[in-house]
Each structure stands twice: as C-alpha cells, then as structure tokens.
Amino acid sequence: LSRKMEDLVALRRHLHRHPELSFQESGTSAFIREVLDAWGISFRSGLAGHGLTGFIEGRGPGKGHVALRADMDALPIQEQKNVAYASTVPGVMHACGHDVHTSILLGAAKILNETKHEWEGKIKLIFHLFFSFGELPFSLVWLYASPLGFYRFSYLYFLFLPLFPLT
C-alpha cells in the first residue's frame, strides 16, 4: 500500500506541475492515456475534445455499472508556493484540486483493475474536461453515458474538495 501511495503522489505532482486550462487539457489527457495503457486498462479518448473514458470489467456481468468521474482542468491563477512540484506554466495552476481528483481516479482504476477477478460488474472511468462553466459539464456526463459511450451506468460517483480547510 505504501508503494501505491508513493506512485499516486508522483502522479499528482506530475499533474500539478503541468496544469492546463479548460478545453486545453491535451497534455493531461495524453498523460492519463499513457498511464491507463501501461496498466492494461482500455479506454476511449477524444470525447468532447480531450475527455476520455476508461473501462474495467469484473469477472462477470454483475447487476450494475458504476461510473467514477474526475475533472482534469486547472485555473488561471499564478502558483505562489515554492515547492518542487509547483506549476511550470505561468499563470496556471491546480488551485481547485482537480489534480487530486484525477490522481484519486487513477488510483481507484489501478486497484479495481488489479482486483477485477474478485468482483462482478463494469466500471466506467470518466476523466472529464472543464468544470466551471455552469451546468454544461453535468450534461456532458450524460453524453459519456449515452449510446455514444461504452455502456450506461447505474451509479455515478464523483467528489469535490472543499475550498476551505477542514478541522
């Protein structure tokens, strides 16, 4: 588990160093494709631009299909921290936590893929473009789930990180 955590931290730091604004996530998408490919996880890319969806199937059909979703875009904010993994893109950083979202989804994908012989059903991994444009992103989630996608899902899970410290 400790090695997996180190790998996830390295993924997150890579994403944090290379942020991309909404609709410009080409490098982020390419990085995610490389990771999924290295792990033997199938995917479809080029969805609504740079979005992509990964697919993991368990040992049998199961009763439901689960979708896990993460945002990939960064914000037009100058990084102020002086850390080794600081943004290398002037005026752009992952101040919103989407680098964390993407890393968490990649970590879940790795574990689910390694244990797919232990569970039934299908998992859809949605690496979503932009977030901060009204309701449009949520409508695109349904596009990913439509017949244009691989299969519909029964459950959708996504997370948000708070914009304030938790105590």
Side-chain angles (χ1 to χ4, degrees):
L1 186 61
S2 139
R3 179 67 191 150
K4 281 185 174 66
M5 189 59 134
E6 290 173 19
D7 292 345
L8 288 179
V9 169
L11 290 173
R12 197 219 38 109
R13 288 182 174 179
H14 172 87
L15 293 167
H16 193 86
R17 277 191 302 272
H18 306 283
E20 295 175 299
L21 296 173
S22 298
F23 301 105
Q24 299 173 21
E25 303 95 334
S26 62
T28 303
S29 182
F31 176 73
I32 293 167
R33 289 191 312 267
E34 288 175 18
V35 171
L36 294 177
D37 194 47
W39 293 343
I41 298 173
S42 63
F43 59 87
R44 286 184 55 201
S45 60
L47 301 172
H50 304 297
L52 61 122
T53 304
F55 310 101
I56 303 172
E57 295 192 34
R59 69 172 184 254
K63 294 182 180 179
H65 303 146
V66 176
L68 305 174
R69 175 192 172 276
D71 299 297
M72 302 187 299
D73 63 330
L75 295 172
I77 297 173
Q78 181 62 44
E79 176 97 51
Q80 298 296 320
K81 287 186 187 178
N82 185 16
V83 293
Y85 55 89
S87 172
T88 60
V89 182
V92 181
M93 74 171 286
H94 276 292
C96 50
H98 292 176
D99 53 338
V100 176
H101 292 181
T102 300
S103 300
I104 290 170
L105 184 51
L106 285 169
K110 183 168 181 60
I111 292 168
L112 288 165
N113 195 51
E114 289 172 351
T115 61
K116 64 187 174 187
H117 61 282
E118 299 175 18
W119 50 268
E120 294 182 351
K122 296 178 181 179
I123 305 290
K124 187 173 203 173
L125 312 163
I126 301 172
F127 293 92
H128 203 195
L129 303 172
F130 62 89
F131 175 74
S132 304
F133 289 88
E135 296 302 315
L136 185 58
F138 291 104
S139 66
L140 283 177
V141 168
W142 302 116
L143 171 65
Y144 287 116
S146 78
L148 296 175
F150 188 65
Y151 47 73
R152 296 183 181 274
F153 52 80
S154 306
Y155 305 96
L156 168 65
Y157 297 95
F158 54 96
L159 58 96
F160 292 96
L161 297 176
L163 297 177
F164 51 87
L166 295 175
T167 56

